[in-house]
Amino acid sequence: MGVRVPPPVQMNFRKVNNTKINPVNYTAKIIQENPFVETHIGTDSQRVGSDINYVTAIAYRYPMRGVHYIYCKETFPPIKDDWSRLWLETERTMQIAELLSDNLPGIRFEIDMDYNDDEYYMSNKLVSAARGWATSFGYKVNIKPNKQIATRAADYHCR
């Protein structure tokens, strides 16, 4: 049996200062106060000992003013194969994307996936399926080496 992924309402998002935050309410407030903000969602994972840290980030890119983000970090038991570990990144990202879409009608955001278009990298094998899933919902998808805003924030907190 695979790893059970908690529903998004159970994901505990935080600001960088460790303050707990509701991702829907916080995102709505950011967009209301900054209508030109560019929102990105992405997840990264990292093996730490025998466990795996997953971090999902929602990043808000302000034109000419930088980036601010919130994140959720959770540790999962070992996942033996890389395909399953990486696919769970997509699942967690899509959970949050669907949560925001369902609760904030008309919201526009981009999905940042920590996969590489270059066939040299193992993650390349997931690009087609992951991109297809996200684009089928109408989301714009960024794959390496293109823009990676949310996954960079997630990567920082994975370690």
Side-chain angles (χ1 to χ4, degrees):
M1 188 161 148
V3 175
R4 187 179 182 294
V5 180
V9 292
Q10 292 180 355
M11 289 187 191
N12 297 313
F13 275 81
R14 300 179 178 280
K15 291 182 178 182
V16 176
N17 69 5
N18 212 27
T19 304
K20 287 184 181 178
I21 201 83
N22 176 301
V24 173
N25 295 341
Y26 192 75
T27 300
K29 181 180 177 210
I30 293 288
I31 292 170
Q32 181 180 11
E33 293 173 357
N34 305 278
F36 298 107
V37 73
E38 192 177 291
T39 305
H40 292 256
I41 304 168
T43 302
D44 195 16
S45 65
Q46 180 80 35
R47 293 183 192 280
V48 178
S50 63
D51 293 331
I52 300 172
N53 286 338
Y54 281 89
V55 177
T56 301
I58 304 172
Y60 312 97
R61 183 171 184 250
Y62 302 90
M64 312 295 274
R65 291 192 358 221
V67 175
H68 164 76
Y69 63 89
I70 59 175
Y71 70 97
C72 170
K73 180 176 183 175
E74 293 183 278
T75 301
F76 284 78
I79 298 174
K80 295 190 190 301
D81 68 288
D82 285 332
W83 173 277
S84 297
R85 176 181 62 84
L86 292 172
W87 186 253
L88 187 53
E89 291 179 13
T90 299
E91 289 178 358
R92 294 178 65 76
T93 297
M94 290 299 292
Q95 284 180 334
I96 296 305
E98 291 174 45
L99 178 71
L100 292 181
S101 291
D102 289 348
N103 289 282
L104 301 171
I107 185 174
R108 291 178 311 150
F109 53 81
E110 298 179 24
I111 303 287
D112 297 345
M113 294 188 174
D114 195 32
Y115 307 146
N116 203 309
D117 264 333
D118 187 334
E119 291 181 12
Y120 174 80
Y121 296 96
M122 183 273 166
S123 66
N124 174 267
K125 295 176 174 86
L126 287 92
V127 168
S128 180
R131 181 186 282 148
W133 184 13
T135 57
S136 74
F137 281 88
Y139 305 140
K140 181 179 187 299
V141 177
N142 302 310
I143 303 285
K144 286 179 180 177
N146 298 319
K147 192 171 13 175
Q148 294 289 296
I149 295 172
T151 55
R152 283 189 180 185
D155 177 70
Y156 178 79
H157 290 280
C158 266
R159 302 170 196 284

